[in-house]
Amino acid sequence: MHFSSKLLEQAVEEFGKLPGVGKKTALRLVLHLLKQSKEDVNRFSQAFTQLKEHIKYCKHCFNISDTDTCEICQSPKRDRTTICVVEDTRDVMAIENTNQYQGVYHVLGGLISPMDGVGPADLRIDGLVDRVRQGDIKEVILALSATMEGDTTIFYLYRKLQEFSIEVSTIARGIAFGGELEYVDEVTLGRSIMTRVPYERKVG
Amino acid sequence: MHFSSKLLEQAVEEFGKLPGVGKKTALRLVLHLLKQSKEDVNRFSQAFTQLKEHIKYCKHCFNISDTDTCEICQSPKRDRTTICVVEDTRDVMAIENTNQYQGVYHVLGGLISPMDGVGPADLRIDGLVDRVRQGDIKEVILALSATMEGDTTIFYLYRKLQEFSIEVSTIARGIAFGGELEYVDEVTLGRSIMTRVPYERKVG
């Protein structure tokens, strides 16, 4: 691609670094931005620097939050004895949208993936174990994607949590194998939380 | 979508304003950005504010440029008697990539589209007419999209340029090279039969 402007090229390059955004799409988006007012472009840019600068992670569940303790962990309506373990904040949003779950969450920040160099130490697993050790937790629901990485993480977490007298469950596999959690429709996802099964039943 | 953070929601909203970027994609991109370093996020943001602040449009052809006169208009190798009229800078890039054109350009900045509220006054048409009036222009090539808007703009420009003793041409329309006849759409195929050219002219 031959750019008529270095500034244009840089902006396209930055956009092109985003996952799933090719050079042509990046150029289309940058040219769209260029047509906006200076104020709009500034607001666009600042949204990301502000987010990066001021974002917090809830000290209990590690979900993205504007405060030290997120809304869900603060809410008196939520059942603090049930923790739903998810990969990232998108999964929290997806589960909240189903209106089927009243417990709290624990956001791992990823899945164990040796191929991508992500080990257990890179995730908030110690934080989860601490919560189980300290609190009156009755059940931990492992709501992870039905992928190789999800299964690996479930297996790892299950072994870590075995020493505690709590129930460990996984969401029902009503969702297609290989499917990623965030793309599952609400009804299916809600059902699969409702019909969760104890982990040992699945392996036993 | 229920966001756990106002900052997150704002960033997703800003991304979601871009054409063809849905809420889910926006969220995915923002979460990707969040995983980058502060420096990377700053560089990302600044690329757009810098572009918007410092971008120039060539005073001759209105192409995006870092200087008052773009590289193409500056080049002594280009034929200044031929102007290729295009919609935007992407078209300049596409034509430059072909290495088939040695003239200069004129970037309209859009196409006439009553549906979108874009009239002739919103485009750099006066600038084009001025160039033709002033300079030793021999030919104006209208290289616009084969759409309703493109055709409307071509017709409008053709009438505007009629008073000058120059050649006005449009790029050839027809079946793409390498294209298999059976997969060509009916309109293109029909038109290309209607506008068939003598064989010797094609090779000669």
Side-chain angles (χ1 to χ4, degrees):
Chain A
M1 252 187 207
H2 174 84
F3 288 91
S4 60
S5 152
K6 202 84 200 142
L7 287 166
L8 179 67
E9 187 169 8
Q10 275 164 13
V12 170
E13 231 165 58
E14 285 297 329
F15 249 132
K17 283 181 191 166
L18 296 174
V21 179
K23 276 256 164 144
K24 280 208 166 181
T25 303
L27 180 59
R28 187 168 54 79
L29 296 179
V30 169
L31 291 178
H32 171 85
L33 270 182
L34 251 184
K35 283 186 181 172
Q36 308 311 305
S37 72
K38 206 170 160 179
E39 290 69 38
D40 283 346
V41 174
N42 280 341
R43 195 169 54 239
F44 177 81
S45 291
Q46 277 169 14
F48 309 116
T49 43
Q50 290 286 314
L51 175 69
K52 183 68 187 174
E53 195 143 342
H54 299 296
I55 200 69
K56 285 177 178 152
Y57 294 91
C58 173
K59 64 181 177 183
H60 303 289
C61 72
F62 299 99
N63 192 15
I64 290 173
S65 174
D66 292 338
T67 47
D68 286 335
T69 299
C70 76
E71 277 179 31
I72 294 170
C73 286
Q74 270 181 35
S75 169
K77 286 181 192 153
R78 308 300 294 232
D79 167 20
R80 259 156 264 264
T81 66
T82 307
I83 296 177
C84 181
V85 179
V86 294
E87 181 182 350
D88 69 19
T89 197
R90 274 178 294 185
D91 303 325
V92 174
M93 288 164 72
I95 293 173
E96 285 299 288
N97 277 341
T98 69
N99 286 318
Q100 294 290 326
Y101 180 64
Q102 296 304 318
V104 291
Y105 292 93
H106 190 88
V107 179
L108 290 177
L111 295 175
I112 296 171
S113 173
M115 294 278 283
D116 300 314
V118 182
D122 300 311
L123 310 176
R124 284 99 171 216
I125 291 175
D126 289 345
L128 174 65
V129 174
D130 283 348
R131 287 175 79 181
V132 173
R133 185 176 287 126
Q134 289 169 16
D136 306 313
I137 309 299
K138 284 184 186 147
E139 181 178 3
V140 170
I141 304 169
L142 305 175
L144 303 179
S145 290
T147 58
M148 185 95 114
E149 290 78 15
D151 283 345
T152 307
T153 312
I154 286 172
F155 185 65
Y156 183 88
L157 289 174
Y158 178 67
R159 290 208 314 191
K160 275 268 179 188
L161 296 171
Q162 245 178 344
E163 58 169 299
F164 305 101
S165 55
I166 56 165
E167 206 163 323
V168 177
S169 57
T170 63
I171 53 172
R173 292 288 166 87
I175 54 182
F177 282 88
E180 296 210 24
L181 208 72
E182 57 178 311
Y183 297 114
V184 177
D185 69 278
E186 294 179 11
V187 177
T188 308
L189 187 56
R191 286 269 186 94
S192 66
I193 291 173
M194 296 297 286
T195 60
R196 61 190 182 272
V197 290
Y199 186 65
E200 58 272 23
R201 245 171 62 193
K202 220 188 100 227
V203 286
Chain B
M1 250 189 208
H2 175 86
F3 287 91
S4 61
S5 151
K6 203 83 201 143
L7 287 165
L8 180 67
E9 187 170 6
Q10 275 163 14
V12 170
E13 231 165 59
E14 285 297 331
F15 248 132
K17 283 180 192 165
L18 296 173
V21 178
K23 276 257 164 143
K24 281 207 166 182
T25 303
L27 181 59
R28 187 168 56 79
L29 296 178
V30 169
L31 291 178
H32 171 85
L33 270 181
L34 251 184
K35 283 186 181 172
Q36 309 309 305
S37 73
K38 206 169 158 178
E39 289 70 37
D40 284 346
V41 174
N42 280 341
R43 195 170 53 240
F44 177 82
S45 290
Q46 277 169 13
F48 308 115
T49 43
Q50 291 286 314
L51 176 68
K52 183 67 187 175
E53 195 142 343
H54 299 296
I55 201 68
K56 286 176 177 152
Y57 294 91
C58 173
K59 63 181 177 184
H60 303 289
C61 71
F62 298 99
N63 193 14
I64 290 174
S65 173
D66 291 338
T67 47
D68 286 334
T69 300
C70 76
E71 278 179 30
I72 293 171
C73 286
Q74 270 180 35
S75 168
K77 284 181 192 154
R78 309 298 295 231
D79 166 20
R80 258 156 264 264
T81 65
T82 306
I83 296 179
C84 180
V85 178
V86 294
E87 181 182 349
D88 69 18
T89 196
R90 275 178 294 184
D91 303 325
V92 174
M93 289 165 72
I95 294 173
E96 284 299 288
N97 277 341
T98 68
N99 286 319
Q100 294 291 326
Y101 180 65
Q102 294 305 317
V104 291
Y105 292 92
H106 190 88
V107 179
L108 290 178
L111 294 175
I112 295 171
S113 173
M115 294 277 284
D116 300 315
V118 182
D122 301 311
L123 309 177
R124 283 99 171 215
I125 291 175
D126 288 345
L128 174 65
V129 175
D130 283 348
R131 286 176 80 181
V132 173
R133 185 175 288 125
Q134 289 170 17
D136 307 312
I137 308 299
K138 284 184 186 149
E139 181 178 3
V140 170
I141 304 169
L142 304 175
L144 303 179
S145 290
T147 58
M148 185 95 113
E149 290 79 14
D151 282 346
T152 306
T153 312
I154 286 172
F155 184 65
Y156 184 89
L157 290 174
Y158 179 68
R159 289 209 315 191
K160 275 268 178 188
L161 297 171
Q162 246 178 340
E163 58 170 299
F164 305 101
S165 55
I166 56 164
E167 205 163 325
V168 177
S169 57
T170 64
I171 53 172
R173 289 181 185 176
I175 297 157
F177 284 88
E180 293 197 49
L181 215 67
E182 55 181 313
Y183 298 119
V184 177
D185 68 276
E186 289 168 31
V187 178
T188 305
L189 188 54
R191 285 270 188 99
S192 68
I193 292 173
M194 296 295 287
T195 60
R196 62 194 179 275
V197 291
Y199 185 65
E200 60 272 23
R201 245 172 68 194
K202 220 185 101 225
V203 287

